[in-house]
Amino acid sequence: MSSTSLIELNNVSKTYSTAAGDFPALKNINLKVGGGEFLGIVGKSGAGKSTLLNMINGVDELTEGEVLVAERADGRKLSIHDMSEDARSLWRGKNMGVIYQSFQLLPMLNLLENIMLPMDLSNNFHPRRSRERAMELLQLVELEEHAQKLPAFISGGQQQRVAIARALANDPLILVADEPTGSLDSLTADHIFDVFEHLVHDQGKTIIMVTHDMGLASRFSRSLTIADGELQNGQDALNFDRTTAGQK
Ligand SMILES: Nc1ncnc2c1ncn2[C@@H]1O[C@H](COP(=O)(O)OP(=O)(O)OP(=O)(O)O)[C@@H](O)[C@H]1O
Ligand SMILES: [Mg+2]
């Protein structure tokens, strides 16, 4: 692994086995992401965007290759898929916020509790502080007045914003976001983009976001295209932004 990239995918392939036979959803992906990048991955429905994110966040197993991540403090390299599932969740809890395309809110917890949960599971914050912080994050996504509601009683776009707030709960170094503005109107999507840009530019966070909205490409610090499970312009995928790399 090069000394400065934060995330590195080497020859990553993912093949789904289905009743109809094997389906290659990702084909030999090579990608380097620098610390402090706002990387957008754009592609049509079915191109492999969610599959790719689920390799990077270690939520799903890969068929071939490896995903390496540099550790926060000393630049140590970790192979995400060499960790046990428990170790992986623990690692994610400390280092990576994940926004799922289908939100994955817990239906029996209210919005505040949904956002508190990752903090309480990771012990990153004192329980009193986690409640306070959850409320601040709800304010950030402009949902504080709904704090006590269950997810079933808010709109899809509101659920998406709760999922965004929850991903930020542990103040992760890396944010991995699957169509995080897909259910939002353009004004609200703009606000979320502002929040993301602030995280990258002012706090040195790294964001990897996928979207099918080609119109957003200009707002990323780098944007790549995926089609039929392959990253286009293979060379661009390796040329991460070294000027921001390594920022904290
Ligand atoms: N669990 C699965 N089993 C079999 N095939 C799958 C599975 N998940 C995804 N696929 C297939 O892999 C391909 C890529 O799917 P993926 O969900 O990554 O696409 P996507 O780019 O995220 O699409 P969208 O924009 O619609 O979310 C698709 O052809 C899909 O049908
Ligand atoms: Mg998807």
Side-chain angles (χ1 to χ4, degrees):
M1 182 162 181
S2 71
S3 56
T4 43
S5 66
L6 180 63
I7 299 171
E8 184 167 328
L9 279 71
N10 291 319
N11 306 312
V12 169
S13 296
K14 174 67 179 180
T15 299
Y16 290 113
S17 299
T18 70
D22 285 353
F23 180 82
L26 291 179
K27 302 166 195 164
N28 198 37
I29 302 280
N30 288 287
L31 170 67
K32 287 181 182 176
V33 185
E37 276 202 283
F38 188 0
L39 174 66
I41 298 174
V42 185
K44 290 196 305 190
S45 179
K49 303 183 299 296
S50 296
T51 305
L52 178 60
L53 284 196
N54 286 340
M55 298 297 111
I56 295 173
N57 61 28
V59 165
D60 205 355
E61 300 300 331
L62 34 73
T63 308
E64 272 175 61
E66 60 179 4
V67 177
L68 302 178
V69 180
E71 282 276 66
R72 189 188 295 244
D74 56 5
R76 237 175 359 116
K77 300 151 203 163
L78 266 179
S79 163
I80 295 198
H81 294 88
D82 282 347
M83 290 189 256
S84 69
E85 266 187 50
D86 283 353
R88 240 183 268 177
S89 332
L90 206 66
W91 181 84
R92 255 197 312 272
K94 296 224 178 289
N95 299 284
M96 184 179 271
V98 180
I99 301 167
Y100 297 95
Q101 187 166 16
S102 51
F103 318 144
Q104 312 274 12
L105 302 177
L106 290 182
M108 63 296 212
L109 298 184
N110 71 30
L111 308 191
L112 195 74
E113 292 161 344
N114 260 284
I115 299 172
M116 286 169 64
L117 189 66
M119 293 187 263
D120 294 345
L121 288 177
S122 67
N123 266 324
N124 283 0
F125 295 92
H126 189 280
R128 204 177 324 111
R129 178 66 193 129
S130 78
R131 177 169 292 271
E132 221 173 63
R133 183 169 164 79
M135 192 49 100
E136 290 163 9
L137 288 164
L138 273 176
Q139 280 162 2
L140 182 73
V141 297
E142 302 174 329
L143 283 174
E144 63 274 25
E145 72 272 29
H146 299 287
Q148 308 301 328
K149 287 189 181 170
L150 294 176
F153 298 103
I154 59 172
S155 74
Q158 289 171 331
Q159 290 180 35
Q160 183 152 47
R161 284 185 277 152
V162 178
I164 292 168
R166 181 185 56 185
L168 300 176
N170 279 322
D171 194 24
L173 186 64
I174 306 165
L175 192 63
V176 173
D178 196 346
E179 302 271 6
T181 58
S183 300
L184 305 180
D185 62 274
S186 62
L187 213 63
T188 312
D190 247 16
H191 170 66
I192 294 301
F193 245 96
D194 290 346
V195 170
F196 285 179
E197 282 170 345
H198 169 73
L199 289 169
V200 171
H201 297 138
D202 302 326
Q203 296 189 23
K205 307 290 191 193
T206 303
I207 301 183
I208 304 173
M209 165 173 166
V210 306
T211 177
H212 60 259
D213 186 348
M214 314 281 175
L216 293 174
S218 64
R219 293 193 68 172
F220 301 117
S221 62
R222 179 168 58 132
S223 104
L224 298 171
T225 304
I226 185 169
D228 293 329
E230 289 181 286
L231 280 181
Q232 312 296 290
N233 315 101
Q235 203 47 45
D236 293 348
L238 299 177
N239 285 334
F240 62 90
D241 185 349
R242 286 162 205 278
T243 58
T244 51
Q247 279 182 1
K248 287 276 153 20

